[in-house]
Amino acid sequence: MKKSFIRIVDGGICVVDDVEASGLKNGKYGLTIIKRENSIGAGLFTSNKVKAAPVIYTKKIISDGEISIIVANSGNANCFTGSGGMADCDKMVELTSKLLNIPKNQIAIASTGVIGRTMPMEIILPLIEECSKNLENSSKASKDSANAILTTDFVSKEFSVEVTLLNGKIIKIGGIAKGSGMIAPNMATMLCFLTTDAYGEKDILKKALKEAVDLSFNMVVVDGDESTNDEIILLGSKNKDNSILTESGGIDSNFQEALNFLCQNLAKMMAKDGEGATKFIEVHVFNGKSQNDVIKASKSIVSSSLVKTAVFGGDPNWGRIVSAVGYSGADFNPNNVSISVNSKDKTSYLVKNGEILGFEDTSSLKDAEDIMQEKEIKIIVDLNNGSYEATAYGCDFSYDYVKINAEYTT
Amino acid sequence: MKKSFIRIVDGGICVVDDVEASGLKNGKYGLTIIKRENSIGAGLFTSNKVKAAPVIYTKKIISDGEISIIVANSGNANCFTGSGGMADCDKMVELTSKLLNIPKNQIAIASTGVIGRTMPMEIILPLIEECSKNLENSSKASKDSANAILTTDFVSKEFSVEVTLLNGKIIKIGGIAKGSGMIAPNMATMLCFLTTDAYGEKDILKKALKEAVDLSFNMVVVDGDESTNDEIILLGSKNKDNSILTESGGIDSNFQEALNFLCQNLAKMMAKDGEGATKFIEVHVFNGKSQNDVIKASKSIVSSSLVKTAVFGGDPNWGRIVSAVGYSGADFNPNNVSISVNSKDKTSYLVKNGEILGFEDTSSLKDAEDIMQEKEIKIIVDLNNGSYEATAYGCDFSYDYVKINAEYTT
């Protein structure tokens, strides 16, 4: 739900004045450079034990100091590439540093693509050269960046907002993202780069970012595999006039809500553009006993292969939904649960307080069948067991998911 | 690995002399009755919070006393069926009790099929009448039983062995099973009925059964959804001459190994017959730091949608394998891991001590590609981090999995 202090604006990452960007594709490979000198950077990274070389590299760079440039490539993940992987990171950073005259320790890198193959440096390095010549602050530059990092996803993902802080000051936040298969849990296979002219110390920015990511990317499930390459980087300003700290020392709640809203919109774009997706699924679980319970239940539903194939087939299958809640580990009594499906302005109850309506009420079943034909479907589950709620995002499971991932290319 | 004290024999559940069985199909519905008067019963049941009515019913029956009959139907799970569900259990038991003159409290029931629809008693009750007329001790009767409980699986699953106990006595164990989609974790969507002429107190039998199930059905993953209806029942003899207790009070290790071996064979049959499966996958993870680590790692690989689609596509994708170990939670160092694939007598290393062989050694990559074309593929992962090992079973992810589960039938 968008609040009145948030305005959706154009510009993507270039919504922030002193950000420059460029992006290029070369066949299945792509590259973007995002430049914003002396930013305060906050980053979140994959929790997979197998971490790509650029993840290991950038994690250290971000914790050590300021960030002026992000270089990100698509087509090859530079992961599980032995000692050569880290050397390739160095080469990318070295060239960028030389071309743009930025200290090496202010350059973050990220990669996405196939795992376990050496980086094609003969393609990546020329892309860095090209991109470094075309940096500019424009909507087109942001869009080019968003396009350059796509792999098996089709639609570039950008979002930007203006937000009025509690003190009346107006600041901006912009973002681009990629993500398609291997999404979940814990923000798997995604890259997301965010810019803002707001100011906060590193720890404050990271705290705000963590909350936004928990409510957005960490609630997206495409296939349950977790990537080795996830990176989310937020570049904040050093302009203390735009501080997001309130007088009492907390994070400005308007800023936090705007960041959450922006990340949720990027997360939904990812789910809609999931590999082979034909339908977008939003699962809202409420009245749970704890936050953990509603997160587990909503993610279990949106991850279930059987729910996902049912949605693909247009089947309002309450049995598979309740079963997924049942094995999620969430506390609830099946006899008290209510389940409905919704699309656009139409809602149909499948189960009310444990009683299945489809048995007797054929009109409600007919409505549900109509809803399941829509492209965007909401599954709503009332656990009737407390007051917590969570929303998870995903997509259906189609023949094309299998096709995309069964293709063997060396 | 079969030991010399185990012999594979014919007969299925009727390998035990005083077991009678029968099974019938009627369209998508099926029913079996298994009779063995005054058995000592041990049972294991789904851990899904949403439990089918027959699961709730039978759990209590088994813990209370002796079991003389199992009645199991396919086509409808009698789950999430409100108060009517339990009443339908009663009707099934009542009719069986009357027809076969067995006390109601000695009759266990089980169901498998669609969730959330009322039982078609006009079909189930006549099937009970028919089956109760045809009970006999024969290989055919066991096969009919195994067929009657199938749903979306195609191949009936039976196995039986003779085992020489440590004291020289020879006893028999037989089993039938069904299971196709929704397999994993924790023995999800499966029914398995075992008979033996061995004797053990209820607690001893249950302990032996638990170990066998942990090493077999609990290591099978088809799609990661967990069923509401899983039941495994072992019917033991009251003949104390056939005791499985050793003089020191432990469980006869030959009996335990035979039971494990039998359950593992039924589990493999399930994986091979998984919904839409075109290939069988066995994942062997060894040299792990703890038992929990190797179980998590092997199941994570065999559950990964990306590994499963790669196997379908014939792709020896070491990147997806190592990534699945990476997010499994198992402790290991990616730089020390070795990965190979095997089929029949051919083995090919993809990764040795963290170094990818496919990069330089094209002959090893070619071998791996050949192996991936086989119908039965073993993925072997050496974590190089300890001495524990585990084996998980699964199948590939094909277009047909989506097709089977996207079909909407009211």
Side-chain angles (χ1 to χ4, degrees):
Chain A
M1 217 75 71
K2 194 175 77 63
K3 300 293 173 56
S4 62
F5 50 83
I6 302 171
R7 281 165 306 286
I8 300 169
V9 294
D10 286 335
I13 46 175
C14 289
V15 73
V16 175
D17 293 338
D18 53 351
V19 169
E20 290 182 329
S22 67
L24 278 173
K25 275 271 183 189
N26 178 354
K28 65 174 264 200
Y29 300 98
L31 192 122
T32 179
I33 297 180
I34 302 166
K35 186 178 168 205
R36 209 285 194 86
E37 289 195 55
N38 304 107
S39 298
I40 296 176
L44 293 170
F45 303 89
T46 183
S47 60
N48 196 314
K49 272 225 166 225
V50 181
K51 292 183 210 312
V55 169
I56 297 166
Y57 189 97
T58 299
K59 221 173 159 174
K60 179 161 167 35
I61 290 283
I62 286 203
S63 77
D64 284 356
E66 295 175 354
I67 298 295
S68 292
I69 283 183
I70 300 169
V71 183
N73 77 279
S74 60
N76 187 305
N78 194 6
C79 174
F80 207 53
T81 38
S83 52
M86 206 49 94
D88 285 339
C89 290
D90 278 330
K91 283 179 199 153
M92 288 172 70
V93 168
E94 220 157 272
L95 180 63
T96 310
S97 165
K98 203 183 79 187
L99 292 168
L100 295 171
N101 197 25
I102 295 285
K104 280 172 61 177
N105 63 0
Q106 293 182 18
I107 301 176
I109 51 174
S111 299
T112 175
V114 63
I115 307 171
R117 307 286 160 100
T118 43
M119 285 279 272
M121 296 305 279
E122 70 286 3
I123 296 173
I124 301 299
L125 295 180
L127 281 171
I128 293 179
E129 293 210 30
E130 280 307 300
C131 281
S132 66
K133 291 179 198 158
N134 303 318
L135 289 166
E136 61 179 43
N137 177 271
S138 70
S139 289
K140 182 185 172 300
S142 174
K143 189 154 196 76
D144 287 347
S145 286
N147 269 322
I149 53 174
L150 300 181
T151 56
T152 51
D153 42 351
F154 300 110
V155 184
S156 65
K157 298 163 194 72
E158 289 186 280
F159 208 81
S160 34
V161 296
E162 260 182 17
V163 52
T164 309
L165 299 183
L166 292 174
N167 64 14
K169 194 124 198 158
I170 294 175
I171 63 98
K172 293 166 181 172
I173 319 174
I176 62 169
K178 80 86 45 195
S180 188
M182 283 183 79
I183 297 204
N186 295 316
M187 71 182 207
T189 307
M190 55 157 303
L191 300 180
C192 175
F193 307 121
L194 302 161
T195 58
T196 181
D197 49 13
Y199 165 78
E201 293 291 333
K202 213 179 260 284
D203 288 352
I204 299 297
L205 275 191
K206 191 164 176 178
K207 194 176 164 200
L209 183 61
K210 179 78 173 60
E211 173 174 325
V213 168
D214 278 343
L215 290 170
S216 57
F217 304 118
N218 278 346
M219 297 303 286
V220 178
V221 180
V222 168
D223 62 14
D225 280 52
E226 188 192 356
S227 162
T228 51
N229 281 64
D230 303 321
E231 287 192 31
I232 300 186
I233 298 175
L234 169 59
L235 299 180
S237 164
K238 288 179 80 173
N239 177 1
K240 295 195 179 177
D241 290 346
N242 292 351
S243 174
I244 54 165
L245 273 199
T246 60
E247 278 176 21
S248 63
I251 293 171
D252 187 298
S253 59
N254 286 8
F255 175 81
Q256 184 70 62
E257 283 205 43
L259 188 61
N260 297 354
F261 175 72
L262 185 147
C263 288
Q264 277 165 347
N265 275 282
L266 288 172
K268 284 185 200 178
M269 288 180 199
M270 280 186 195
K272 282 179 194 176
D273 200 19
E275 281 174 347
T278 74
K279 291 178 185 173
F280 170 69
I281 310 173
E282 186 170 329
V283 176
H284 183 218
V285 174
F286 66 110
N287 289 336
K289 203 173 173 185
S290 71
Q291 194 58 42
N292 199 18
D293 270 11
V294 289
I295 289 172
K296 281 192 290 192
S298 58
K299 280 183 150 181
S300 181
I301 295 169
V302 94
S303 309
S304 158
S305 294
L306 289 172
V307 170
K308 287 157 67 74
T309 46
V311 170
F312 176 59
D315 173 5
N317 197 315
W318 57 84
R320 294 183 184 177
I321 295 167
V322 79
S323 170
V325 181
Y327 66 74
S328 71
D331 189 21
F332 79 116
N333 181 341
N335 298 326
N336 297 336
V337 78
S338 296
I339 300 172
S340 59
V341 288
N342 162 290
S343 190
K344 293 174 184 167
D345 295 331
K346 211 167 178 177
T347 296
S348 174
Y349 272 89
L350 300 168
V351 178
K352 240 181 192 163
N353 300 318
E355 288 297 321
I356 296 162
L357 300 185
F359 285 157
E360 286 92 35
D361 184 353
T362 49
S363 78
S364 113
L365 187 59
K366 180 72 186 60
D367 283 351
E369 287 169 348
D370 288 346
I371 289 166
M372 297 304 286
Q373 297 302 320
E374 297 290 342
K375 288 284 164 211
E376 305 199 359
I377 292 158
K378 211 170 186 170
I379 296 171
I380 304 155
V381 178
D382 180 354
L383 292 180
N384 212 337
N385 196 33
S387 59
Y388 288 86
E389 62 179 320
T391 303
Y393 311 99
C395 58
D396 61 345
F397 216 149
S398 74
Y399 298 119
D400 275 357
Y401 176 84
V402 178
K403 182 155 187 266
I404 291 163
N405 287 300
E407 227 160 66
Y408 174 35
T409 49
T410 44
Chain B
M1 217 74 73
K2 193 175 79 61
K3 301 292 172 61
S4 62
F5 50 82
I6 301 171
R7 281 165 305 283
I8 300 169
V9 294
D10 286 334
I13 45 175
C14 288
V15 73
V16 175
D17 293 339
D18 53 350
V19 170
E20 291 182 329
S22 66
L24 278 173
K25 275 272 184 188
N26 178 354
K28 65 176 263 198
Y29 300 98
L31 193 121
T32 178
I33 297 181
I34 302 166
K35 186 177 168 206
R36 209 290 194 84
E37 289 194 56
N38 304 107
S39 298
I40 296 176
L44 292 170
F45 303 89
T46 182
S47 59
N48 196 314
K49 272 226 167 223
V50 181
K51 290 183 210 312
V55 169
I56 298 167
Y57 189 97
T58 299
K59 223 172 157 173
K60 180 162 166 34
I61 291 283
I62 286 204
S63 78
D64 284 356
E66 294 174 355
I67 298 294
S68 293
I69 282 181
I70 300 169
V71 184
N73 76 279
S74 61
N76 187 304
N78 194 7
C79 175
F80 208 53
T81 38
S83 52
M86 206 48 95
D88 285 340
C89 290
D90 278 330
K91 283 180 200 154
M92 287 171 71
V93 169
E94 219 158 89
L95 179 62
T96 310
S97 165
K98 204 183 80 188
L99 292 168
L100 295 172
N101 197 27
I102 295 287
K104 281 171 61 177
N105 63 1
Q106 292 183 16
I107 300 175
I109 51 174
S111 299
T112 176
V114 62
I115 307 172
R117 307 287 160 98
T118 43
M119 285 279 273
M121 296 305 279
E122 70 286 2
I123 296 173
I124 301 300
L125 294 181
L127 280 172
I128 293 179
E129 292 210 31
E130 280 307 301
C131 281
S132 66
K133 290 178 198 159
N134 302 319
L135 290 166
E136 60 179 43
N137 176 271
S138 69
S139 290
K140 183 185 173 298
S142 174
K143 188 152 196 77
D144 288 346
S145 286
N147 268 321
I149 53 175
L150 299 181
T151 57
T152 50
D153 42 352
F154 300 111
V155 184
S156 65
K157 297 162 195 72
E158 288 186 280
F159 208 82
S160 33
V161 296
E162 262 182 15
V163 52
T164 308
L165 299 183
L166 292 175
N167 64 14
K169 194 125 199 156
I170 294 174
I171 63 98
K172 292 165 180 173
I173 319 175
I176 61 170
K178 81 84 49 191
S180 189
M182 283 183 78
I183 296 201
N186 295 318
M187 71 182 206
T189 309
M190 55 156 304
L191 300 180
C192 175
F193 307 122
L194 303 160
T195 58
T196 181
D197 48 14
Y199 165 78
E201 292 291 332
K202 212 180 261 283
D203 289 352
I204 298 296
L205 275 191
K206 190 164 176 180
K207 194 176 162 201
L209 182 61
K210 180 77 173 59
E211 174 175 325
V213 167
D214 278 343
L215 290 170
S216 57
F217 305 117
N218 279 347
M219 296 304 287
V220 178
V221 180
V222 169
D223 61 14
D225 280 52
E226 188 191 357
S227 161
T228 51
N229 281 65
D230 304 321
E231 288 192 29
I232 300 186
I233 299 175
L234 169 60
L235 299 180
S237 164
K238 288 179 80 174
N239 177 2
K240 295 195 180 176
D241 291 346
N242 292 350
S243 174
I244 55 166
L245 275 198
T246 59
E247 277 175 21
S248 63
I251 293 171
D252 188 300
S253 59
N254 286 7
F255 175 81
Q256 184 70 62
E257 283 206 43
L259 188 62
N260 297 354
F261 175 72
L262 185 147
C263 288
Q264 277 165 346
N265 275 282
L266 288 171
K268 285 184 201 177
M269 289 180 199
M270 280 185 194
K272 283 179 194 174
D273 198 19
E275 282 173 348
T278 74
K279 290 177 186 174
F280 170 68
I281 310 172
E282 187 170 327
V283 176
H284 184 218
V285 175
F286 67 110
N287 290 336
K289 202 173 173 186
S290 70
Q291 193 59 42
N292 198 18
D293 270 11
V294 288
I295 289 173
K296 280 192 290 194
S298 57
K299 280 182 150 182
S300 182
I301 295 168
V302 92
S303 309
S304 158
S305 294
L306 289 172
V307 170
K308 287 156 68 73
T309 46
V311 171
F312 176 59
D315 174 5
N317 198 314
W318 57 84
R320 294 183 184 177
I321 295 167
V322 78
S323 170
V325 181
Y327 65 74
S328 71
D331 188 21
F332 79 116
N333 181 342
N335 297 327
N336 298 336
V337 79
S338 296
I339 300 173
S340 59
V341 288
N342 161 289
S343 190
K344 294 176 183 165
D345 295 331
K346 211 167 177 177
T347 297
S348 173
Y349 271 89
L350 301 168
V351 179
K352 239 180 192 162
N353 300 318
E355 288 298 321
I356 296 163
L357 300 185
F359 286 157
E360 286 91 36
D361 183 353
T362 49
S363 79
S364 113
L365 187 59
K366 180 73 186 61
D367 283 352
E369 287 169 350
D370 289 345
I371 289 167
M372 297 305 286
Q373 297 302 321
E374 298 290 340
K375 288 285 164 212
E376 305 199 359
I377 292 158
K378 212 170 186 171
I379 296 171
I380 303 156
V381 178
D382 179 353
L383 293 179
N384 213 338
N385 197 31
S387 60
Y388 288 86
E389 63 179 320
T391 304
Y393 310 99
C395 58
D396 61 344
F397 217 149
S398 74
Y399 298 119
D400 275 357
Y401 176 83
V402 178
K403 182 155 188 265
I404 291 163
N405 287 301
E407 227 160 64
Y408 175 35
T409 48
T410 44

